[in-house]
Amino acid sequence: MEPSEHGPVGPSPTLWPAGFAVGIAVLLVGLIVDPMVISSIGAVIAIVFGALWVRDATSELRGRPAPVEPETRELRAAAAAAAAAEAPPSAPRFARSKFLEFSTLGLGGVIGGLVTVPIAGFAILPPFLGQKRHETDLGPLTAFPEGKWFIATFMTDPKEGEVSRRTAFVRNNGVANNVPSFTIISNRCAHLGCPVQANGPTGAILGEPNVVEHTANGQILLRPVVPAGFGCPCHGGQYDTEGNRTAGPPVRALDRYSFDIKNGHVILLSTFSVSHVDGIGAQAKIFKYKQAGPGEHVDGPEQWLYPLQPPHH
Ligand code: FES
């Protein structure tokens, strides 16, 4: 290789657009597979190569020659010599065509950014921002006698009103390892999200009155129930009392609520998804996953078919 006139010969400038394109491709794939990690890697690649591309593309305007292949350099030198011989003494500093070329590119970039950045922001930002954490006070521990099931209806955010109303099946499992144990199952069907019902007699039939608690989350209705399982009215999905799917189209067990005990009250936290549960009550081994949407597998090879996780409350 011949020595360079302008220092060591760098990689061909055509590498930068290719790297930029690879970065964009990784970014787009990451949006589907893993918005946090892979998209970030793609964005970094695109930014680095994009910056190098812009730097080289504008180097002539900034008075520094872009690194070029030796053959190209010789051709350019010959062309420059010929041009210099023909050029009038008062040649402009920048060719008009160059000015128009960069103006067009710059304007196109600005317009493209104005169009795509807000859309990309709406698409990419939510997973990074996370969701507002709701805590729901279901009432005092004494409202939940050990071993009894209740259908609890409540608003997760009274400020949002009825739109935040949810239902959960709640059972006090007693104390395990010195901490209260509860099974708290969401009534959202793991097939398409219909409201699952308890299969069994409720308060009026049992002759047990409903319980109403007034907490920071407003009025909490607790209906006693003796479920033989849970059933979905939409397409016949069936679950056992631990929320395991037993029949029908649901693809996994019912979601559950995590909980905490604060000042003697049962506090519902966020929901999580469950592939299945081994065992019962306080002894149950729960196979937990981060919250998935209705119909999404959380384990097995099928989980890769449902990579997008919509925001959840
Ligand atoms: S939504 Fe529950 S079975 Fe289809």
Side-chain angles (χ1 to χ4, degrees), residues 69-88:
E69 299 291 351
E71 307 82 43
T72 311
R73 191 176 300 119
E74 284 165 13
L75 287 174
R76 284 194 184 179
E86 292 171 9

Side-chain angles (χ1 to χ4, degrees), residues 189-196 232-239 248-250:
C189 185
H191 177 219
L192 294 179
C194 281
V196 164
C232 180
C234 289
H235 314 103
Q238 295 293 319
Y239 306 87

Side-chain angles (χ1 to χ4, degrees), residues 180-268:
S181 165
F182 277 80
T183 297
I184 306 177
I185 296 176
S186 165
N187 82 325
R188 188 178 67 156
C189 185
H191 177 219
L192 294 179
C194 281
V196 164
Q197 315 288 315
N199 299 332
T202 55
I205 300 171
L206 289 171
E208 294 182 25
N210 293 338
V211 179
V212 176
E213 295 291 340
H214 295 275
T215 73
N217 284 78
Q219 187 172 292
I220 312 290
L221 178 64
L222 303 174
R223 279 194 298 146
V225 65
V226 180
F230 305 103
C232 180
C234 289
H235 314 103
Q238 295 293 319
Y239 306 87
D240 67 18
T241 49
E242 294 303 315
N244 283 312
R245 172 198 168 275
T246 55
V251 298
R252 58 174 199 262
L254 288 168
D255 295 343
R256 291 192 176 208
Y257 282 85
S258 51
F259 71 96
D260 199 359
I261 305 295
K262 284 187 188 166
N263 301 321
H265 279 228
V266 182
I267 309 294
L268 287 193

Side-chain angles (χ1 to χ4, degrees), residues 13-35:
T14 55
L15 209 62
W16 309 145
F20 179 73
V22 168
I24 294 293
V26 173
L27 175 69
L28 294 175
V29 170
L31 284 179
I32 298 171
V33 176
D34 187 341

Side-chain angles (χ1 to χ4, degrees), residues 155-167:
M155 285 189 280
T156 55
D157 187 351
K159 287 200 291 297
E160 290 181 4
E162 288 296 321
V163 74
S164 73
R165 184 168 289 284
R166 300 286 183 272
T167 297

Side-chain angles (χ1 to χ4, degrees), residues 121-148:
F122 282 121
I124 296 169
L125 279 182
F128 291 90
L129 296 177
Q131 296 294 309
K132 202 163 89 183
R133 177 186 160 106
H134 291 294
E135 294 193 351
T136 302
D137 185 347
L138 276 193
L141 277 167
T142 51
F144 300 92
E146 189 174 332
K148 290 205 174 251

